Amino acid sequence: MPEHHTDTADPLRFVATDGPVIGSLCTGVAGLDLGVAAVLGGRIAWYSEVDPHAAAILSARLPGVPNLGDLRAVDFTSVAPVEVLTAGFPCQDISAAGRRAGIEKGARSGLWHTILDAIRVLRPSLVVVENVAALRWKNGGLDRVLAGLAEAGYDAVWRCVRAADIGAAHRRERVFLCAVPAPGRDADDADPAGPRRRTPRPGRPGTAARGRASGQPQRRG
């Protein structure tokens, strides 16, 4: 296991090591993807960022790594395959600080459906998703995320982790979800030319688990 992924001369610059090929969607200025790389090693093959300021930081931290731009316009059948896909999709329509439009109606958090389309095509061996703790609240959308992954042929486990759990001086609770191909559904089983989204999607609104302590793992599939 690698000890670090930074350049000693420039600690903010990512250094690739042996390990899986990682694709990064909606992870801001390299956070979730670098965290995954710190554990698994590997290299980031590409990322998707539309904000010009964040893109400038990513260009410096990930020199030579292509930016796919707006992922809604990306043809993922032509994107380099990856073994791990990270996605910290927008939380504005999920967060308690917003209007709680949710994944189905929210223009920003609804980007999850595009990420799910990418998963169906890329078929990574591991998907790592991050979002705010409100994702697991009633109508937060966790049920939609789990149902979409199940439909795509993935089993998932999730856990809430607070920043304070790892020594930070604030709570900042987040949901982290890991998904792998379900038994009998290898990562290469899907037909990329097949339907990339089905409507209606399975799952019942408001079925996200409630009443469990923070940090207790949950499982779908």
Side-chain angles (χ1 to χ4, degrees), residues 41-216:
R43 67 179 179 86
I44 297 174
W46 41 257
Y47 59 89
S48 172
E49 181 55 62
V50 295
D51 182 88
H53 304 292
I57 295 174
L58 287 167
S59 179
R61 290 187 176 181
L62 305 172
V65 177
N67 181 359
L68 303 182
D70 188 344
L71 65 88
R72 294 170 297 183
V74 176
D75 177 6
F76 282 98
T77 62
S78 63
V79 170
V82 294
E83 298 163 88
V84 178
L85 185 69
T86 65
F89 66 101
C91 68
Q92 288 90 338
D93 301 308
I94 300 170
S95 173
R99 296 185 176 180
R100 306 275 295 160
I103 288 177
E104 294 301 318
K105 297 180 180 179
R108 295 186 177 184
S109 298
L111 202 60
W112 163 250
H113 296 307
T114 303
I115 293 170
L116 193 57
D117 288 343
I119 293 170
R120 291 189 179 107
V121 173
L122 295 170
R123 305 301 298 171
S125 298
L126 173 64
V127 177
V128 182
V129 176
E130 176 271 341
N131 214 290
V132 294
L135 181 71
R136 76 191 200 284
W137 296 355
K138 183 178 179 180
N139 299 324
L142 179 60
D143 59 328
R144 296 296 184 180
V145 171
L146 294 173
L149 288 168
E151 180 195 17
Y154 282 78
D155 279 352
V157 294
W158 62 272
R159 178 185 291 263
C160 277
V161 180
R162 300 166 298 187
D165 292 334
I166 57 171
H170 56 95
R171 182 180 179 88
R172 198 172 176 83
E173 189 176 11
R174 292 292 183 268
V175 173
F176 292 90
L177 181 150
C178 294
V180 297
R185 294 286 298 273
D186 292 335
D188 296 327
D189 278 352
D191 177 10
R196 297 176 62 183
R197 183 180 300 169
R198 302 188 187 98
T199 304
R201 300 179 188 88
R204 294 171 295 167
T207 57
R210 292 176 290 169
R212 294 184 173 90
S214 172
Q216 181 175 349

Side-chain angles (χ1 to χ4, degrees), residues 3-17 34:
E3 295 182 356
H4 61 80
H5 286 262
T6 54
D7 188 334
T8 54
D10 182 358
L12 295 181
R13 184 170 175 172
F14 174 76
V15 177
T17 66
L34 291 188

